[in-house]
Amino acid sequence: MNKNLSDNSRFKGLRVAITGANGSLGKSLIEVLKKKGAYVVGLTHDKKNNCNCSKSTPDEWILWSCGEEELLSSSLTNIDILILNHGFNPKQMIDSNDINKAIEINSLSHWKLIEIFENLALSTNLKKYSPKEVWVNTSEAEIQIAFSPVYEITKRLIGELVSLKKSKLLMEKRNCFFIRKLILGPFKSKLNPQGIMHPEFVARKIIQKAEKENYLIIVSPNPITYLLMPLVESIRILYSRFIKKIYSN
């Protein structure tokens, strides 16, 4: 490990768990975070570690499955940052099985883990533990086409749910739980072999931006995303506050 990289990093000594840890971006995030001095836990559906490179191998592996998120609760108790990076892209397929699978993996599973991690943050905060963070990879598909209708719908769903959660946290002024969105453009992976960005580059940019503790972490070659996403997010949060004000009167 490069000592200079980790000494000045806010990630030094933190325990970070990553879903989709066997994917292209997951491996790249593991490598960058380990260089920054973090202890990384890989959450994977695979029974085997497909990565033989020690640099992108987590310090610990945990097996899990969508639909069994509650079983991760005890494993997440001592985690400081949870990165939700797993996903399923049915591409052109729009039959019921693919739709149900995409909703479960891209939306419901993410939401369940966010709720579990928030509850852990609220309970551990009473014991004066440090705040917990969850990062959600909603991707550019949340607001733009991805040439996969079902993928776009499910990413939009979790994206809007996260916006509601962020609005609630802002109104309640909680300081024990933070949420961040990863808005990523197309990068090469099993989900998107035609991606134009390299996952290593995307991972470095994510961690670089996260050092500044931004809510929206955008990495995209499309300049429109940098303009549109903050605008959409602001409108959603303002809308949530407006609705709350109406019903509270």
Side-chain angles (χ1 to χ4, degrees):
M1 181 189 301
N2 188 323
K3 192 173 186 296
N4 292 329
L5 282 177
S6 63
D7 280 351
N8 298 321
S9 173
R10 80 178 188 91
F11 299 104
K12 183 179 180 181
L14 295 184
R15 296 178 65 90
V16 182
I18 304 175
T19 64
N22 260 326
S24 300
L25 182 60
K27 293 175 183 176
S28 297
L29 283 170
I30 290 168
E31 183 173 353
V32 177
L33 284 165
K34 287 178 70 173
K35 287 180 180 178
K36 294 286 185 177
Y39 180 92
V40 184
V41 178
L43 303 178
T44 180
H45 288 68
D46 297 334
K47 292 185 178 181
K48 295 181 180 179
N49 174 11
N50 296 325
C51 177
N52 296 318
C53 175
S54 60
K55 290 183 179 180
S56 53
T57 301
D59 299 288
E60 178 183 347
W61 283 105
I62 295 178
L63 295 177
W64 76 290
S65 297
C66 288
E68 299 179 353
E69 289 79 12
E70 289 290 341
L71 298 179
L72 283 176
S73 185
S74 59
S75 299
L76 295 176
T77 301
N78 63 348
I79 294 297
D80 300 296
I81 299 175
L82 173 62
I83 303 177
L84 301 181
N85 175 57
H86 60 289
F88 167 64
N89 187 353
K91 299 179 181 177
Q92 80 278 9
M93 303 303 294
I94 54 174
D95 62 47
S96 296
N97 289 334
D98 289 309
I99 291 173
N100 291 335
K101 183 177 178 181
I103 291 173
E104 176 65 35
I105 295 174
N106 296 342
S107 304
L108 299 182
S109 176
H110 283 68
W111 182 248
K112 291 174 187 175
L113 287 171
I114 291 170
E115 291 281 274
I116 290 169
F117 205 53
E118 182 181 17
N119 289 333
L120 288 172
L122 292 173
S123 61
T124 55
N125 187 56
L126 299 176
K127 301 175 184 178
K128 297 183 179 180
Y129 285 129
S130 61
K132 291 183 180 294
E133 295 181 25
V134 62
W135 303 0
V136 188
N137 181 2
T138 66
S139 93
E140 258 183 351
E142 180 186 343
I143 57 168
Q144 298 185 40
I145 62 171
F147 300 101
S148 177
V150 176
Y151 186 73
E152 293 162 15
I153 291 169
T154 54
K155 284 297 187 176
R156 194 174 304 126
L157 173 57
I158 187 59
E160 295 207 20
L161 288 173
V162 171
S163 298
L164 286 174
K165 177 68 71 177
K166 178 63 175 180
S167 180
K168 185 172 185 289
L169 292 172
L170 288 173
M171 287 187 283
E172 295 178 351
K173 298 180 179 180
R174 293 184 186 174
N175 58 5
C176 64
F177 183 70
F178 297 94
I179 194 164
R180 310 188 195 285
K181 276 188 182 183
L182 307 183
I183 311 297
L184 310 179
F187 59 89
K188 291 185 181 296
S189 67
K190 289 182 180 179
L191 293 183
N192 185 12
Q194 290 79 36
I196 60 176
M197 295 189 295
H198 292 287
E200 296 84 0
F201 167 80
V202 175
R204 288 196 303 270
K205 296 299 290 184
I206 289 172
I207 300 306
Q208 179 184 337
K209 290 173 180 283
E211 289 274 13
K212 301 177 182 179
E213 303 185 1
N214 296 321
Y215 163 50
L216 293 179
I217 298 176
I218 304 173
V219 183
S220 171
N222 188 349
I224 295 177
T225 304
Y226 292 87
L227 297 174
L228 188 58
M229 191 64 228
L231 177 62
V232 170
E233 197 68 25
S234 297
I235 291 173
R236 288 176 182 170
I237 291 174
L238 288 173
Y239 175 65
S240 298
R241 291 180 174 181
F242 175 68
I243 294 299
K244 181 177 177 60
K245 186 175 181 180
I246 288 178
Y247 283 98
S248 61
N249 290 334

